[in-house]
Amino acid sequence: MSSEHDCKSRVPTRNINVSCTDCSLNPICLPVAVNDNQLEELDNIIKRSKPLKKGEHLFRASDPFASIYAVRSGTIKTYSVTEDGEEQVTGFYLPGEVLGIDGISTNIHSNSAKALETAAVCEIPFEKLEVLSAQIPTLQRHFFQLMSREIQADQQLIMLLSKKSAEERIASLLLSISTRHTKRGLSASGFRLPMSRNDIGNFLGLAVETVSRVFTRLQKQGIIHVDGKEVEVLDMQGLCHMSNGSESSAKTA
Amino acid sequence: MSSEHDCKSRVPTRNINVSCTDCSLNPICLPVAVNDNQLEELDNIIKRSKPLKKGEHLFRASDPFASIYAVRSGTIKTYSVTEDGEEQVTGFYLPGEVLGIDGISTNIHSNSAKALETAAVCEIPFEKLEVLSAQIPTLQRHFFQLMSREIQADQQLIMLLSKKSAEERIASLLLSISTRHTKRGLSASGFRLPMSRNDIGNFLGLAVETVSRVFTRLQKQGIIHVDGKEVEVLDMQGLCHMSNGSESSAKTA
DNA sequence: CGACTACTTGAAATATTTCAAAGTGAGTGG
DNA sequence: CCACTCACTTTGAAATATTTCAAGTAGTCG
């Protein structure tokens, strides 16, 4: 299963207990906010205990909030459950991304977080981080930034949900994933979707069937090639066009 | 224009330069986070210079980010503009609520903020607030909470946009406004919508016409009484029901 | 008062959903 | 190793909610 995706697993995260110093994700993760001495302090408060198996929860909505988490490998989805019991996927978190910031206000998580595949995370106890933040201005600021970025991501999603068509939504998601891959030094054009069609649909506010149909449509238009979860972007520009409402359909003006 | 709405303007905010101590909003605004001595410090960094006329901007997307703002009176809407020039309303801010947190990550506002009616705001320079936050742990925490609450508000909107029908959306908005009124000690059942149907539709991801139709439908069902921007909730329970997808239509099971 | 913008209402058009069914793939156990 | 099951995905056809287009009404401001 993993042998045929060698090209994707370039990131050397074999060792569970690597310190931030040695972690290949440090240029995009919390460490960017601190200098070498401070990194050690940060390192000291981080717990690296939790490798999750597919389907396991990192935390659940209504759990007390104690830590935030940085994804080291794998993918985590967050979701909440509506009053009437429906699930709403609120985000997908890839390596280097931080989740769990929800719940700071209430001290209780408002989302659940579940591993979509085997995943390793770094746990950062929030109280300790708060103390450290007060001491390290750059860290405080970085933390503010993290939250602010979360807000911006949410607002982009809001825009997407309220203004974009099914095609535009899917295109946007693909681009988002592509971009985030690039940040880790991975291919922008070829990647594996870690989530199911169902999760995609749920996240984007579309029925599963619609997701499926859009994928086939995009493929017929020669913009992407899909094989199950494996995606190859053939026409990046076309995809960009499509993602921000390029009139009706693929007029390469 | 303002004479016939006397019942709504119970909040004594006549004086532009009241300090936080005297502001009737202090139990729901930033001051909740600090003790009396600290309040003075907080007070000192707050600028109360800006009374905005209807239609005026508090800040615009791409403005450098320097301050956050607490609404003192009136209503502010925030919005951003998509790549293709369309406006997306991202929030409505009522008295006691804080806006402008967007832009912390980039140091540039990602939204514009515009007064929907004459509005007074308190400006809180962010750098000074940062310094003060580092000194006053409760303030730092409160600030985290503010951001986190913003995230939660966004996530609720996401849920709404991706799962709810037009009726449910409108019902949710009405309830949200009602709740926020209550926090200020105002009537839960009778209020004036400060925004246009257009803004409502834009915010909720609906066409103006749909908004209009839903209002009339809700009125025919006896759940609300609408007269222009004036809304009276006649059946609060029914409205709640409706807001979280009570099956098809108003089955008071 | 006239011009404008905001709001309402109706009818037709449309994108997406829902329902239904069949295809695919992975994992299990004999 | 094959067969079987279960979950996921794809595809088609009908149903539906919302949008779009169009027109009329009402309230507002100069």
Side-chain angles (χ1 to χ4, degrees):
Chain A
M1 193 201 286
S2 62
S3 60
E4 57 185 273
H5 301 311
D6 276 333
C7 53
K8 299 292 180 329
S9 47
R10 254 189 263 150
V11 185
T13 338
R14 307 164 188 151
N15 190 348
I16 294 290
N17 267 321
V18 284
S19 69
C20 291
T21 324
D22 302 326
C23 178
S24 67
L25 294 168
N26 78 45
I28 60 170
C29 192
L30 280 180
V32 295
V34 301
N35 67 32
D36 288 357
N37 296 332
Q38 295 161 343
L39 184 54
E40 208 170 311
E41 288 190 77
L42 180 59
D43 230 355
N44 284 334
I45 68 169
I46 292 180
K47 299 184 200 165
R48 296 191 181 70
S49 42
K50 312 208 167 191
L52 296 168
K53 282 201 285 284
K54 177 175 174 173
E56 279 186 333
H57 277 85
L58 180 55
F59 54 80
R60 286 168 194 273
S62 83
D63 278 359
F65 164 76
S67 302
I68 62 171
Y69 304 88
V71 179
R72 218 126 66 76
S73 65
T75 310
I76 309 261
K77 83 166 176 188
T78 53
Y79 66 95
S80 53
V81 176
T82 58
E83 306 84 359
D84 43 312
E86 267 193 298
E87 182 176 313
Q88 167 68 52
V89 175
T90 49
F92 300 112
Y93 294 83
L94 306 182
E97 299 175 346
V98 175
L99 73 155
I101 313 188
D102 70 304
I104 289 182
S105 80
T106 53
N107 267 314
I108 288 175
H109 282 291
S110 56
N111 293 302
S112 299
K114 192 182 196 176
L116 290 177
E117 52 193 339
T118 306
V121 300
C122 296
E123 177 179 353
I124 305 142
F126 184 66
E127 288 200 359
K128 292 184 182 169
L129 182 62
E130 260 184 316
V131 174
L132 209 55
S133 289
Q135 292 162 14
I136 308 174
T138 53
L139 185 60
Q140 190 195 41
R141 168 153 283 251
H142 183 73
F143 196 62
F144 281 145
Q145 290 183 357
L146 265 183
M147 296 219 274
S148 175
R149 219 172 287 158
E150 184 99 6
I151 292 173
Q152 281 186 13
D154 283 348
Q155 292 198 348
Q156 269 196 291
L157 186 55
I158 288 167
M159 198 104 87
L160 177 148
L161 290 170
S162 110
K163 292 262 174 333
K164 296 193 172 182
S165 68
E167 278 189 3
E168 290 165 358
R169 294 180 198 194
I170 299 279
S172 298
L173 178 65
L174 292 176
L175 284 173
S176 161
I177 291 176
S178 165
T179 305
R180 289 145 80 189
H181 264 246
T182 312
K183 284 202 182 122
R184 281 187 287 152
L186 302 174
S187 163
S189 57
F191 47 85
R192 186 172 184 283
L193 295 171
M195 69 293 281
S196 69
R197 298 287 191 268
N198 220 313
D199 283 334
I200 294 177
N202 188 307
F203 180 62
L204 297 178
L206 299 170
V208 203
E209 295 94 328
T210 308
V211 175
S212 195
R213 278 187 255 269
V214 171
F215 273 120
T216 25
R217 215 180 307 157
L218 289 185
Q219 178 155 235
K220 273 180 190 157
Q221 292 175 32
I223 293 182
I224 60 174
H225 176 83
V226 201
D227 176 23
K229 304 201 180 247
E230 216 66 46
V231 174
E232 180 98 28
V233 180
L234 303 172
D235 176 4
M236 187 63 80
Q237 234 191 324
L239 195 63
C240 288
H241 249 209
M242 173 159 291
S243 78
N244 18 252
S246 48
E247 276 80 76
S248 47
S249 47
K251 272 181 191 167
T252 322
Chain B
M1 193 201 286
S2 60
S3 61
E4 56 184 272
H5 301 309
D6 277 330
C7 54
K8 298 295 177 331
S9 45
R10 254 188 265 150
V11 184
T13 338
R14 309 163 186 151
N15 190 349
I16 295 289
N17 265 320
V18 286
S19 68
C20 292
T21 323
D22 303 326
C23 178
S24 67
L25 294 169
N26 78 46
I28 61 169
C29 192
L30 279 180
V32 295
V34 302
N35 66 33
D36 288 357
N37 297 330
Q38 295 162 343
L39 184 52
E40 208 170 312
E41 288 190 79
L42 180 59
D43 231 353
N44 284 334
I45 68 170
I46 292 180
K47 300 184 200 166
R48 295 191 182 70
S49 41
K50 314 209 167 190
L52 296 168
K53 282 201 285 286
K54 177 175 176 173
E56 279 187 333
H57 275 86
L58 180 56
F59 54 81
R60 284 168 196 274
S62 83
D63 278 359
F65 164 76
S67 302
I68 62 172
Y69 304 87
V71 179
R72 216 126 68 77
S73 66
T75 311
I76 309 261
K77 84 166 176 189
T78 53
Y79 65 96
S80 52
V81 177
T82 58
E83 305 86 358
D84 44 311
E86 269 194 296
E87 181 177 314
Q88 167 70 49
V89 175
T90 50
F92 301 110
Y93 294 83
L94 306 182
E97 300 176 345
V98 175
L99 73 155
I101 314 189
D102 70 305
I104 290 182
S105 80
T106 53
N107 266 314
I108 288 174
H109 282 291
S110 57
N111 293 302
S112 299
K114 192 182 197 174
L116 290 178
E117 52 193 338
T118 307
V121 301
C122 296
E123 177 178 351
I124 306 141
F126 185 65
E127 288 200 359
K128 291 184 182 168
L129 183 61
E130 260 183 316
V131 173
L132 209 55
S133 290
Q135 291 162 15
I136 308 175
T138 52
L139 186 60
Q140 189 193 45
R141 168 154 283 250
H142 183 74
F143 196 62
F144 281 145
Q145 289 183 358
L146 266 184
M147 296 220 274
S148 175
R149 220 172 287 159
E150 184 99 8
I151 292 174
Q152 282 185 13
D154 284 348
Q155 292 199 349
Q156 268 194 292
L157 186 56
I158 288 168
M159 197 104 87
L160 177 147
L161 290 170
S162 110
K163 293 262 173 333
K164 295 193 174 182
S165 69
E167 279 190 3
E168 291 164 356
R169 293 181 200 194
I170 300 280
S172 298
L173 178 65
L174 291 178
L175 284 173
S176 162
I177 290 177
S178 165
T179 305
R180 288 145 80 190
H181 265 244
T182 312
K183 284 200 182 123
R184 281 188 288 151
L186 302 175
S187 162
S189 57
F191 47 85
R192 187 174 183 281
L193 294 171
M195 68 294 279
S196 69
R197 300 285 192 269
N198 221 311
D199 283 335
I200 293 176
N202 188 308
F203 179 63
L204 298 179
L206 299 170
V208 203
E209 295 94 328
T210 308
V211 175
S212 196
R213 277 187 255 268
V214 171
F215 273 120
T216 24
R217 214 180 308 157
L218 290 185
Q219 179 156 234
K220 274 183 192 155
Q221 293 174 31
I223 294 182
I224 60 175
H225 175 83
V226 201
D227 175 22
K229 302 202 182 244
E230 217 64 47
V231 174
E232 178 97 30
V233 180
L234 303 174
D235 177 4
M236 188 61 82
Q237 232 191 325
L239 195 64
C240 288
H241 249 209
M242 174 160 290
S243 79
N244 18 252
S246 49
E247 276 80 76
S248 46
S249 46
K251 272 181 190 167
T252 323

